[in-house]
Amino acid sequence: MLTSLITSRSTRFRRSVALLVAGLFLGCGFVLLHAGPAYGAILLIASAMGAAHCLFEQDAAPLRDTLLPSVQAVRLGEALAAGRLRETRRSLAFWLVFVVGGMLGAGAWFLTDRWALVLAAGFAFCAAIGARQLERFRSTDGPSNPNGA
C-alpha cells in the first residue's frame, strides 16, 4: 500500500520508484531470511510483488489488461475459437514469457538457494536505473506518452 501511495503521488518517476522499492524489499527479505524465521521474509517478498504491480497501475486500461494473465487466457481462448492466428501468437508469446520467467525464478532459487533474492534485488535495481533514465529522457522530450513516464 505504501508503494501505491508513493507512486500515485509521483507521476514523473513512478516506475523507477516502484522498482527501487521492490529491490529494497527483496534485499531486506534476504537479510531477514538469514536472520531467523522466514515469516518476515515472506511478507517482504509479497510486498515486493505488490510494489512491482505499481509499475502499470496508472497506465491506460488496454496496457494494464495486456499484462494480466487472466485477460490473456480469455483472449487466447477467444482467438483460438475464432481462428484468429495473429491474436493467438500474441497471447502465446505472453504465456511463453510468463512460463519462462517462472522457470528462471524457480531455477535461480533451486541453484542459488536464498541468494536468488539478492539476484532478484539486483535485477530490480538495474531495472530501476534503466527506468529512471527513460523517465528522465521522456520528461525532457515533452509529453509524448499520454500515460505519464
Side-chain angles (χ1 to χ4, degrees):
M1 290 183 340
L2 177 64
T3 308
S4 186
L5 289 173
I6 291 170
T7 57
S8 69
R9 303 241 190 271
S10 171
T11 58
R12 186 173 168 201
F13 299 114
R14 66 184 166 84
R15 286 190 174 98
S16 57
V17 168
L19 287 165
L20 182 66
V21 170
L24 288 172
F25 283 154
L26 289 168
C28 291
F30 171 76
V31 171
L32 285 180
L33 202 56
H34 278 296
Y39 302 116
I42 290 169
L43 289 174
L44 286 172
I45 293 168
S47 298
M49 291 188 313
H53 176 72
C54 292
L55 291 173
F56 307 104
E57 190 174 61
Q58 296 176 1
D59 286 333
L63 180 60
R64 275 194 321 263
D65 290 348
T66 301
L67 300 171
L68 294 174
S70 58
V71 173
Q72 286 301 316
V74 170
R75 287 186 182 165
L76 177 60
E78 290 172 348
L80 286 172
R84 296 185 305 251
L85 292 178
R86 285 184 193 231
E87 290 181 33
T88 304
R89 281 188 244 145
R90 186 177 304 150
S91 295
L92 287 175
F94 169 83
W95 284 104
L96 178 67
V97 170
F98 192 76
V99 169
V100 168
M103 289 172 57
L104 287 174
W109 186 265
F110 180 72
L111 292 174
T112 63
D113 197 40
R114 299 171 182 186
W115 289 94
L117 291 177
V118 174
L119 184 64
F123 281 131
F125 288 134
C126 289
I129 292 169
R132 172 81 169 152
Q133 295 302 318
L134 285 173
E135 290 164 341
R136 183 178 295 163
F137 174 73
R138 286 185 179 164
S139 67
T140 59
D141 190 25
S144 60
N145 186 355
N147 295 322

